[in-house]
């Protein structure tokens, strides 16, 4: 039974329980809802909650633990002799999972029978050919041992999936039964339902905090593992980035930080003035008709996928800058450059600055405008000396949002700026950012015990600390200026 089917069945049990328990509550009150402690809806909702909430919690917990248990069981059954020299057990398990998925696909498409996919004594060459027919490419390191492990993986996955379905359905049925037995005219169903909903709301409100804590600790632990294998002084102060998965890597972060800050600086130089001036015009000068057209037109930029911006940088902006600026001035001959990525990223950030700043400027009390104009100030003087200082905290927040978006951008940098890690002031040279290298170090079948892979977590933690420091500094500035206008 698939997970979606199981969810639908549990919901169906809950709906049936809702109807049955509601009818039992009405029967206990002789058909008169006024004799009940709570409205009939609460009695049915109590059964729905008892059926669905525990069952779904068990399902979530099971889905989290099941892959871990299966992976450990299969991994321990693979002999050390089956691991190729220079390889690792983690890479072998990656092949096992890929072959297991291929077996599932082959069975679904009729390329092999379930008995063939499950039997560990079948001909390896035959199964290998069948997997090739469904597009599963097997490398030379995939052996008969790997196939047997994949078959065991499928067997355990199916068995545990069956156990999960039975346990979840049994728990849902028990929940409905419990709600049915405790339902009578004096049962405080409303109190129970409201208390349960309150707990769910509290849990939902803590998800963001728990997610943030989880991200920090996951980055922190892997970063500690990285610094156990690689010197932190070389990481923070080396000017060379040259990873090599065979050893002797240079993993200095300075070239990546320079590329990140350089591209983000150019992007903000483009986005902040244009976005802020557009917001001032839309909020203070434009009429209602023009505003109703111009603001949605600007916000369309925020809905364009970043890969489209990257293609725009690669095909249009990069060649244009190369042909008309870089080559004539002798600054370079490549279409991939810091300037290309910065300009396109700045265009992408315009709606972030413009839309937020426009809302913030419109939130400035009209009494400030009227007072300034009443004292004889012109409209431009009112904007410059009254409205913008009053809206400064919000504008700073809009700029920070744009800066965070620029620092975390990847696709535009990959297609527009290239992947070269270097320290240079030339804006027409190819450079790269921290986020691009995080992706490149984690792409493919990588060994998570090597410093070349663990460096991605160190890069992520460094970027997180930088962004946090930027936010703290901005908060200090905002509070300082806010005191003058409140």
């Amino acid at each position: 039974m698939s997970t979606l089917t199981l969810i639908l069945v549990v919901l169906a049990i809950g709906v049936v329980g809702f109807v049955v328990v509601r009818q039992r509550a009405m029967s206990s009150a002789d058909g008169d809802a006024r004799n009940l402690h709570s409205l009939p809806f609460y009695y049915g909702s109590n059964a729905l909650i008892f059926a669905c909430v525990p069952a779904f919690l068990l399902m979530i917990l099971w889905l989290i633990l099941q892959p871990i248990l299966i992976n450990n069981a299969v991994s321990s059954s693979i002999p050390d002799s089956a691991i190729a020299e220079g390889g690792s057990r983690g890479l072998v398990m990656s092949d096992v999972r890929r072959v297991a998925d291929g077996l599932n696909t082959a069975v679904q498409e009729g390329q092999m029978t379930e008995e063939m996919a499950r039997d560990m004594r079948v001909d390896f060459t035959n199964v290998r050919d069948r997997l090739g027919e469904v597009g599963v490419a097997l490398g030379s390191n995939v052996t008969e041992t790997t196939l047997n492990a994949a078959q065991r993986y499928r067997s355990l996955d199916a068995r545990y999936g069956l156990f999960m379905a039975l346990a979840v359905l049994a728990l849902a049925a028990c929940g409905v039964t419990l709600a049915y037995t405790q339902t009578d005219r004096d049962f405080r169903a409303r109190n129970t339902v409201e208390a349960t909903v309150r707990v769910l709301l509290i849990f939902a409100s803590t998800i963001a905090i728990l997610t943030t804590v989880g991200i920090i600790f996951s980055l922190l632990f892997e970063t500690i593992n990285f610094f156990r294998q690689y010197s932190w002084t070389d990481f923070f102060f080396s000017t060379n980035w040259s990873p090599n998965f065979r050893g002797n890597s240079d993993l200095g972060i300075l070239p990546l930080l320079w590329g990140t800050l350089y591209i983000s600086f150019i992007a903000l130089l483009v986005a902040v003035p244009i976005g802020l001036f557009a917001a001032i015009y839309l909020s203070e000068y434009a009429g209602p008709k023009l505003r109703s057209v111009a603001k949605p037109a600007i916000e369309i930029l925020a809905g364009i996928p970043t890969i489209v911006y990257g293609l725009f940088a690669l095909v249009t902006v990069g060649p244009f800058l190369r042909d008309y600026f870089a080559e004539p001035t002798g600054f370079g001959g490549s279409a991939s450059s810091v300037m290309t990525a910065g300009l396109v990223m700045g265009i992408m950030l315009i709606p972030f600055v413009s839309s937020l700043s426009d809302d913030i400027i419109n939130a400035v009390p009209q009494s400030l405008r009227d007072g300034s104009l009443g004292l004889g100030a012109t409209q431009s003087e009112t904007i410059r000396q009254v409205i913008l200082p009053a809206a400064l905290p919000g504008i700073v927040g809009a700029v920070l949002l744009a800066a965070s978006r620029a620092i975390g951008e990847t696709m535009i940098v990959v297609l527009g700026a290239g992947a070269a890690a270097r320290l240079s002031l030339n804006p027409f040279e190819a450079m790269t950012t921290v986020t691009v290298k995080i992706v490149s170090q984690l792409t493919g079948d990588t060994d998570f015990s090597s410093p070349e892979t663990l460096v991605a977590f160190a890069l992520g933690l460094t970027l997180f600390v930088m962004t946090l420091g930027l936010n703290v500094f901005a908060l200090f500035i905002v509070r300082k200026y806010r005191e003058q206008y409140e």
Side-chain angles (χ1 to χ4, degrees), residues 272 275-281 283-285 357-358 360-362 364 368-369 372 379-396 481-482 485:
V272 173
L276 184 57
F277 291 162
I280 293 173
Y281 175 76
S283 61
E284 300 298 325
Y285 293 101
S357 298
D358 175 64
I360 293 161
I361 292 174
N362 283 325
V364 174
L368 294 180
R369 296 179 176 85
S372 176
Q379 187 174 10
S380 61
E381 290 173 339
T382 300
I383 294 172
R384 185 174 64 255
Q385 299 179 9
V386 176
I387 296 177
L388 289 182
L392 182 62
I395 294 175
V396 171
Y481 283 94
R482 180 177 293 174
Y485 298 101

Side-chain angles (χ1 to χ4, degrees), residues 219-239:
L219 290 176
L220 185 61
F221 291 149
E222 298 300 339
T223 301
I224 292 175
N225 293 334
F226 168 71
F227 285 128
R228 288 174 180 171
Q229 305 178 40
Y230 193 85
S231 172
W232 67 271
T233 55
D234 293 339
F235 175 74
F236 286 110
F237 300 107
S238 175
T239 59

Side-chain angles (χ1 to χ4, degrees), residues 249-287:
S249 297
D250 290 329
L251 303 174
I253 194 177
L254 289 182
L256 307 183
L257 286 179
W258 173 250
T260 301
L261 297 177
Y262 202 174
I263 294 174
S264 300
F265 177 72
I266 294 176
L268 292 177
L269 281 182
V270 175
V272 173
I274 296 177
L276 184 57
F277 291 162
I280 293 173
Y281 175 76
L282 291 175
S283 61
E284 300 298 325
Y285 293 101

Side-chain angles (χ1 to χ4, degrees), residues 159-335:
R159 187 184 307 169
Y160 287 177
L162 177 60
F163 291 159
M164 179 188 72
L166 295 177
V168 169
L169 294 177
L171 187 59
C174 290
V176 172
T177 303
L178 178 61
Y180 184 85
T181 55
Q182 68 181 5
T183 298
D184 55 44
R185 61 192 302 171
D186 297 323
F187 177 64
R188 299 176 179 269
R190 185 188 64 187
N191 297 359
T192 303
V193 171
E194 290 181 349
T196 305
V197 172
R198 188 181 301 112
V199 172
L200 292 177
L201 293 176
I202 294 174
F203 174 74
S205 65
T206 58
I207 288 179
I209 299 175
L210 295 176
T211 302
T212 303
V213 173
I215 291 173
I216 294 174
F217 276 101
S218 64
L219 290 176
L220 185 61
F221 291 149
E222 298 300 339
T223 301
I224 292 175
N225 293 334
F226 168 71
F227 285 128
R228 288 174 180 171
Q229 305 178 40
Y230 193 85
S231 172
W232 67 271
T233 55
D234 293 339
F235 175 74
F236 286 110
F237 300 107
S238 175
T239 59
N240 185 33
W241 174 267
S242 179
N244 185 357
F245 281 91
R246 290 173 292 186
N248 299 323
S249 297
D250 290 329
L251 303 174
I253 194 177
L254 289 182
L256 307 183
L257 286 179
W258 173 250
T260 301
L261 297 177
Y262 202 174
I263 294 174
S264 300
F265 177 72
I266 294 176
L268 292 177
L269 281 182
V270 175
V272 173
I274 296 177
L276 184 57
F277 291 162
I280 293 173
Y281 175 76
L282 291 175
S283 61
E284 300 298 325
Y285 293 101
K289 292 184 178 179
L290 179 60
R291 176 183 171 84
S292 64
V293 175
K295 186 172 182 179
I298 294 176
E299 292 177 346
I300 288 177
L301 293 174
I304 299 176
T306 56
I307 184 64
V308 177
Y309 282 109
L311 294 174
F312 176 63
L314 178 66
V315 175
T316 304
V317 178
F320 176 81
L321 293 178
R322 178 195 61 197
D323 297 339
Y324 294 96
F325 292 94
E327 289 183 347
T329 57
F331 281 103
S334 174

Side-chain angles (χ1 to χ4, degrees), residues 325-408:
F325 292 94
E327 289 183 347
T329 57
F331 281 103
S334 174
S336 298
S337 65
V338 172
M339 186 63 69
T340 300
L343 288 177
V344 177
M345 193 183 299
I347 296 173
M348 181 195 69
L349 296 177
I350 288 175
F352 289 90
V353 179
S354 174
S355 182
L356 290 176
S357 298
D358 175 64
D359 295 337
I360 293 161
I361 292 174
N362 283 325
V364 174
Q366 184 63 32
S367 59
L368 294 180
R369 296 179 176 85
D370 296 339
S372 176
L373 296 174
L375 291 174
T378 64
Q379 187 174 10
S380 61
E381 290 173 339
T382 300
I383 294 172
R384 185 174 64 255
Q385 299 179 9
V386 176
I387 296 177
L388 289 182
L392 182 62
I395 294 175
V396 171
V399 174
L400 280 177
L401 177 62
S404 300
R405 187 72 175 83
I407 291 175

